[in-house]
Amino acid sequence: MSPILQGSEIMSTGPSMEWLPPTFQDLLWPSGHYYDPGNGRMREAYGTGIITLLGSARSAKTSLAYAIIDTVIRETSRPVSFIGFPDEVMKAMPEHWNGRIFNPKDFEKMLEFKGALVLCDDTAVSLNARDSMTTESKFMARLAGIISHRDLTLILTTQSMSGIDLSLTRMTQLAVGIRRMSPGTLKGERANWLHEVIDAQEELKLYSKDQNLRDVFYSLYDEMICKAWFPTWLDKKNRPKEADMLSKPFGYMSLSELKDRVLRPPRTQRKKKKGEDENE
């Protein structure tokens, strides 16, 4: 009979890396690690690239990101970096993550963590691709060319591929996980992704047993439906306050900081406004 796990032991248990599709594993295992992609033939992990999790609001894409991170923490020694998360939310992370996670305040700081797994959540705020002059967007475009040199793997959550800088998808290895997309969100999707995303929605509806399609996700480049693991410590029945904080981390950011990140004008406009003020 298996031993009965209690308390924090339950929170720190979970499946091995094999619950994730091969293209995800290829980027999550450290570079040089050999793993079985499911065909019995060992493969050397690439260990660096970008995992994009695509889905409408409340489609549990952030929960999927946390599940991936939890697996990496248990299965590897890679450090994990959260870009721009509020300090209060970082305190809500599970106890068994202590000592493995970091919260740099800007993108440049994450380069200090060689071999790290990096989560950039709420891409609409952090990576506004429509504003080509935003500092973070310009930096991420440059970052795409050096990700492999620092053995970084980025997890980007987004409601549309139009919110991702194209240079990121062209200059590095890419894996894509697709969750539920609302009809309204689909209308704003990039044309070159639209048909694949629509096909993925049909697959999710066919195999999901949940009305919100949260129990599965579609791995685009593996062309397969995958069961989504949901960690015990994310369940609101076990940790109600912490689970709420983790489900919407930017909802716990101070109002002044959130306004600055969402509403600030492009850098060129800020410089122009400053010059106009000086001339008056």
Side-chain angles (χ1 to χ4, degrees):
M1 181 179 294
S2 301
I4 298 176
L5 301 180
Q6 298 180 353
S8 61
E9 290 181 290
I10 296 177
M11 298 295 181
S12 61
T13 59
S16 63
M17 191 79 79
E18 282 71 27
W19 74 275
L20 290 162
T23 58
F24 280 52
Q25 291 190 50
D26 194 42
L27 304 184
L28 294 171
W29 285 115
S31 179
H33 175 88
Y34 282 86
Y35 71 101
D36 182 356
N39 58 9
R41 300 177 181 178
M42 300 303 288
R43 178 189 298 175
E44 183 178 356
Y46 196 72
T48 178
I50 297 174
I51 297 175
T52 299
L53 303 180
L54 176 67
S56 296
R58 315 309 294 173
S59 63
K61 56 185 179 293
T62 302
S63 296
L64 178 58
Y66 289 138
I68 293 171
I69 291 169
D70 192 272
T71 305
V72 168
I73 286 178
R74 288 183 289 100
E75 296 280 296
T76 79
S77 60
R78 299 185 74 169
V80 180
S81 178
F82 292 79
I83 299 297
F85 269 49
D87 291 337
E88 186 177 359
V89 175
M90 294 299 294
K91 297 175 183 177
M93 300 298 178
E95 186 177 338
H96 65 280
W97 287 16
N98 290 346
R100 294 287 301 280
I101 59 176
F102 305 90
N103 186 27
K105 297 304 179 183
D106 53 53
F107 294 115
E108 286 89 345
K109 290 290 184 182
M110 75 180 181
L111 292 177
E112 299 176 4
F113 302 101
K114 192 176 189 299
L117 177 66
V118 182
L119 175 61
C120 296
D121 196 13
D122 202 346
T123 312
V125 175
S126 298
L127 300 176
N128 187 350
R130 292 171 300 173
D131 174 13
S132 61
M133 294 308 295
T134 300
T135 303
E136 289 86 351
S137 182
K138 290 174 64 179
F139 178 77
M140 289 299 290
R142 297 194 302 269
L143 180 66
I146 62 174
I147 283 176
S148 62
H149 297 280
R150 298 297 294 171
D151 291 331
L152 299 175
T153 295
L154 273 61
I155 299 178
L156 304 180
T157 64
T158 183
Q159 295 188 41
S160 171
M161 294 302 287
S162 63
I164 300 295
D165 193 302
L166 284 176
S167 64
L168 299 181
T169 65
R170 293 168 178 165
M171 298 174 64
T172 187
Q173 293 288 104
L174 183 67
V176 179
I178 302 176
R179 309 226 68 175
R180 175 186 56 82
M181 296 284 286
S182 69
T185 305
L186 284 172
K187 290 181 180 180
E189 190 52 76
R190 277 187 171 138
N192 54 327
W193 291 94
L194 184 58
H195 292 299
E196 293 174 313
V197 174
I198 291 176
D199 289 343
Q201 298 305 297
E202 295 303 315
E203 293 289 318
L204 292 175
K205 293 175 184 176
L206 181 63
Y207 290 97
S208 177
K209 297 180 180 180
D210 177 69
Q211 64 177 4
N212 294 313
L213 312 181
R214 294 180 178 179
D215 57 340
V216 291
F217 67 97
Y218 185 78
S219 177
L220 182 61
Y221 294 133
D222 295 288
E223 298 183 343
M224 64 186 294
I225 286 286
C226 307
K227 184 176 181 179
W229 172 57
F230 188 73
T232 307
W233 49 265
L234 272 178
D235 194 332
K236 291 185 177 181
K237 295 179 181 178
N238 298 321
R239 305 167 76 231
K241 180 180 179 181
E242 291 86 350
D244 185 69
M245 295 173 70
L246 293 171
S247 69
K248 44 186 177 184
F250 291 98
Y252 287 84
M253 180 178 287
S254 68
L255 185 58
S256 59
E257 184 178 1
L258 189 60
K259 284 182 177 180
D260 179 64
R261 294 185 66 176
V262 177
L263 302 177
R264 64 181 176 183
R267 181 174 293 270
T268 51
Q269 290 185 18
R270 294 200 296 270
K271 288 182 177 179
K272 182 178 180 180
K273 180 64 167 59
K274 181 179 179 181
E276 291 174 349
D277 293 341
E278 292 175 349
N279 293 330
E280 290 179 356

